């Protein structure tokens, strides 16, 4: 109920009720997309990656932000390796 | 799955644990005790147990499992009301699977169903509305619960019912809001917290601004976190970094899902349909001011509280249960008298044992209980 699952909008099915078909790891399901339209034409939402909670797309997954977070984690990992190497050499 | 596997990378996890361990030692030493960090959200509790995150962390960090599981904090009186609605002739009662097994004072919804009451599990409130469309001669009631994560879905379903002039659909509203409860926890005298992991999907709806008071007035860091193992570790590292630098800020680790201002369309739907109740009863925590919402007068015809005569009795939690102390982090689940004996996931006494997001069910399913008990016995000796 609270965790949500990522899926991709593949088609608009009902313009009035703001319903769309999403593909969740190969499973198709109709969901409401009212919360992620953000002033766009409905057809422009096709292709969006969204997080789905209880039959509603609740957030568009921000790919740039996801990459940035992963980049930070990669750099943190590299820094940790440096620190470990310094400690191991006894001059840290 | 999209941005799921990437956030489970073991190498990055090891680096984060090393960075956290390096910060935790001096911070705990200066306090003369371990750091207490609360994960507010039951979804986080679930991730922490599923991936054994507590076991990766140094002993200088204790994770305190917060009250953010809407099923777990549902008082028995509300379940009793729900059963009363379900047992009214002509009613189809619908709800999420998690809510079916929460014990009432007499029975759960699942037990009512076993007795022949028409209770149906739905994936979405929209499925409940479809049942109302297909069964015009029946009254379809949706038992709506959850924090701001699920509030917009209930609100939008109700607005859809209004747009279609569906008359045989109503909502038994048990939605709750987390911010007043965090404040109540911070005001609780028997609790000492150093910082918070903020709920990711509540924040996706409300944004980060409502947590401002935690930094400003209580001087505690809060980092909104995602639900993968790396998200939890990354957010913990950010909390510890703030503590080490003497800062208390509201930060957002979960930027890929949580916009700084939340979701305007979702907030609009919530505001149109719901208003704050003066107070709401939480299992284990008691009554908390302004912590629940109800349906506005304008949508009264969709309000099950007004459509049905409800017993609305306050039912005390079972005496043997120590859910409240677990929810506040005063004791660990396995220190409760009935944990794993008369209270198990198969036959729960307390709601914390019901949902997979409840701290007790998580400990029961994933915890090294013998190890914990031995460690505790040694520590107490």
């Amino acid at each position: 109920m609270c965790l949500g699952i990522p899926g991709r909008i593949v088609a608009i099915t009902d313009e009035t009720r703001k319903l769309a078909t999403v593909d969740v790891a190969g499973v198709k399901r109709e969901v409401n997309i009212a919360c992620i339209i953000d002033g766009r034409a409905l057809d422009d939402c096709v292709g969006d990656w969204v997080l789905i909670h209880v039959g509603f797309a609740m957030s568009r997954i921000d790919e740039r932000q996801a990459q940035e977070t992963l980049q930070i984690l990669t750099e943190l990992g590299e820094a940790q390796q440096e620190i470990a190497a310094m400690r191991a050499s006894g001059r840290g | 799955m999209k941005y799921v596997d990437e956030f489970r990378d073991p190498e990055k996890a090891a680096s984060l644990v090393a960075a956290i361990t390096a910060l935790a030692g001096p911070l705990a030493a200066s306090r003369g005790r371990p750091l207490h960090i609360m994960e507010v959200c039951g979804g986080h509790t679930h991730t922490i147990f599923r991936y054994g995150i507590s076991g990766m962390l140094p002993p200088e960090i204790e994770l305190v499992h917060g009250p953010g599981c809407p099923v777990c904090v549902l008082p028995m009186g509300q379940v009793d009301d729900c059963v009363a609605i379900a047992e009214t002739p002509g009613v189809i009662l619908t709800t999420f699977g998690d809510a079916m097994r929460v014990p009432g004072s007499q029975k759960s919804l699942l037990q009512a169903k076993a007795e022949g009451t028409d209770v149906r599990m739905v994936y979405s409130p929209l499925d409940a509305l479809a049942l109302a469309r297909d069964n015009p001669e029946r009254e379809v009631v949706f038992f709506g619960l959850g924090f701001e994560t699920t509030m917009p879905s209930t609100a939008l379903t109700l607005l859809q019912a209004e747009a279609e002039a569906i008359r045989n659909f109503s909502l038994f509203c048990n939605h709750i809001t987390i911010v007043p409860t965090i404040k109540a926890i911070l005001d609780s005298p028997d609790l000492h917290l150093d910082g918070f992991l903020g709920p990711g999907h509540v924040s996706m709806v409300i944004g980060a601004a409502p947590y401002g008071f935690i930094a400003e007035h209580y001087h505690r860091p809060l980092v909104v976190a995602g639900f993968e193992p790396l998200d939890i570790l990354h957010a913990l590292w950010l909390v510890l970094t703030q503590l080490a630098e003497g800062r208390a800020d509201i930060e957002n680790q979960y930027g890929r899902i949580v916009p700084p201002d939340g979701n305007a369309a979702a907030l609009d739907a919530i505001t149109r349909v719901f208003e704050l109740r003066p107070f709401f009863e939480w299992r284990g925590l008691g009554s908390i001011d302004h912590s629940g919402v109800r349906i506005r007068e304008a949508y009264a015809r969709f309000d099950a509280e007004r459509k049905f005569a409800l017993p609305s009795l306050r039912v005390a939690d079972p005496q043997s249960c120590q859910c409240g102390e677990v929810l506040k982090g005063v004791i660990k689940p396995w220190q409760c008298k009935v944990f794993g004996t008369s209270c198990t996931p198969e036959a729960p006494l307390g709601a914390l044992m019901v949902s997979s997001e409840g701290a007790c069910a998580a400990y029961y399913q994933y915890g090294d209980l013998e190890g914990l008990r031995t460690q505790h016995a040694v520590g107490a000796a």
Side-chain angles (χ1 to χ4, degrees):
Chain A
M1 172 169 94
C2 305
L3 285 179
I5 191 157
R8 192 168 206 185
I9 298 176
V10 291
I12 304 297
T13 50
D14 186 332
E15 295 221 352
T16 322
R17 290 176 182 163
K18 299 188 174 65
L19 300 177
T21 302
V22 287
D23 181 325
V24 179
V27 178
K28 301 273 201 304
R29 151 103 209 181
E30 194 172 58
V31 301
N32 179 297
I33 59 165
C35 291
I36 58 94
I37 297 170
D38 210 7
R40 297 174 297 162
L42 280 180
D43 284 338
D44 291 347
C45 302
V46 173
D48 281 0
W49 278 95
V50 292
L51 192 69
I52 300 150
H53 284 81
V54 299
F56 288 75
M58 289 303 302
S59 185
R60 288 160 71 189
I61 300 174
D62 186 327
E63 301 202 28
R64 190 181 54 80
Q65 286 277 356
Q67 293 299 347
E68 262 178 36
T69 308
L70 286 170
Q71 182 61 31
I72 290 167
L73 295 179
T74 305
E75 285 165 14
L76 192 75
E78 286 163 2
Q80 281 303 315
Q81 281 173 9
E82 289 277 316
I83 292 165
M86 279 202 285
R87 287 219 175 97
S89 75
R91 281 168 278 151
Chain B
M1 256 184 293
K2 190 77 170 177
Y3 298 126
V4 171
D5 301 330
E6 295 94 325
F7 285 88
R8 292 179 186 172
D9 176 39
E11 262 182 48
K12 287 196 178 75
S15 307
L16 278 166
V17 168
I20 288 167
T21 306
L23 286 171
L27 284 168
S30 72
R31 285 165 172 75
R33 59 163 175 82
L35 297 170
H36 298 141
I37 314 287
M38 173 177 275
E39 89 274 6
V40 174
C41 174
H44 288 153
T45 306
H46 182 79
T47 302
I48 285 164
F49 279 91
R50 186 170 170 197
Y51 295 95
I53 288 175
S54 297
M56 299 178 197
L57 297 174
E60 290 85 5
I61 298 180
E62 278 187 15
L63 295 175
V64 179
H65 315 302
C69 165
V71 173
C72 306
V73 296
L74 199 63
M76 287 204 296
Q78 296 300 114
V79 178
D80 289 350
D81 282 355
C82 205
V83 169
I85 294 173
E87 290 177 343
T88 308
V91 164
I92 302 175
L93 189 109
T94 57
T95 192
F96 299 130
D98 271 2
M100 303 272 288
R101 295 171 57 239
V102 184
S105 66
Q106 306 298 322
K107 58 187 115 168
S108 67
L109 286 168
L110 196 64
Q111 286 162 324
K113 185 180 168 72
E115 290 170 9
T117 307
D118 197 347
V119 178
R120 303 190 197 183
M121 191 182 99
V122 290
Y123 162 69
S124 165
L126 289 174
D127 299 341
L129 187 61
L131 271 173
R133 252 186 235 118
D134 297 342
N135 297 277
E137 75 293 352
R138 306 280 299 275
E139 172 74 17
V140 176
V141 183
F142 178 66
F143 177 34
L145 72 171
F147 293 101
E148 286 88 342
T149 312
T150 51
M151 236 185 255
S153 61
T154 314
L156 286 164
T157 302
L158 199 148
L159 292 170
Q160 183 64 38
E162 193 205 26
E164 293 182 42
I166 295 177
R167 296 287 176 200
N168 62 323
F169 176 78
S170 55
L171 166 69
F172 183 42
C173 179
N174 280 265
H175 283 296
I176 44 180
T177 174
I178 192 72
V179 169
T181 306
I182 300 181
K183 186 173 181 307
I185 287 171
L186 280 163
D187 287 333
S188 165
D190 51 359
L191 195 77
H192 302 283
L193 293 175
D194 297 291
F196 291 91
L197 302 186
H201 292 148
V202 165
S203 309
M204 156 188 91
V205 173
I206 69 173
Y211 307 117
F213 73 97
I214 298 169
E216 278 168 39
H217 299 302
Y218 293 91
H219 311 291
R220 298 290 190 279
L222 179 144
V223 177
V224 172
F227 293 88
E228 296 304 329
L230 289 189
D231 289 322
I232 303 277
L233 290 169
H234 185 199
L236 270 176
W237 177 72
L238 288 169
V239 169
L240 264 61
T241 302
Q242 285 198 36
L243 292 173
E245 292 172 2
R247 288 186 293 124
D249 294 321
I250 307 303
E251 287 183 284
N252 180 11
Q253 180 276 334
Y254 199 27
R256 66 187 184 279
I257 293 293
V258 175
D261 301 323
N263 186 311
L267 286 171
D268 179 61
I270 291 175
T271 313
R272 279 173 70 189
V273 172
F274 298 123
E275 61 186 8
L276 284 177
R277 293 177 194 265
F279 58 87
F280 197 75
E281 188 82 16
W282 291 54
R283 190 187 189 96
L285 297 177
S287 177
I288 299 175
D289 287 352
H290 302 122
S291 64
V293 300
R294 65 185 173 201
I295 298 172
R296 285 184 190 276
E297 182 72 36
Y299 299 98
R301 64 184 177 283
F302 298 105
D303 190 351
E305 272 176 64
R306 301 178 210 227
K307 269 191 178 177
F308 295 88
L310 299 176
S312 297
L313 296 174
R314 284 182 67 177
V315 181
D317 298 330
Q319 284 209 331
S320 51
C321 273
Q322 294 177 281
C323 292
E325 285 155 281
V326 175
L327 278 172
K328 284 191 278 187
V330 179
I331 62 166
K332 299 284 181 194
W334 51 270
Q335 292 170 320
C336 173
K337 293 190 290 287
V338 292
F339 177 88
T341 51
S342 49
C343 186
T344 62
E346 291 74 33
L349 275 183
L352 287 170
M353 196 54 104
V354 172
S355 165
S356 65
E357 291 165 30
C360 294
Y363 265 88
Y364 190 91
Q365 194 176 356
Y366 298 110
D368 168 19
L369 298 176
E370 281 315 306
L372 286 169
R373 287 196 173 114
T374 314
Q375 200 181 343
H376 183 66
V378 170

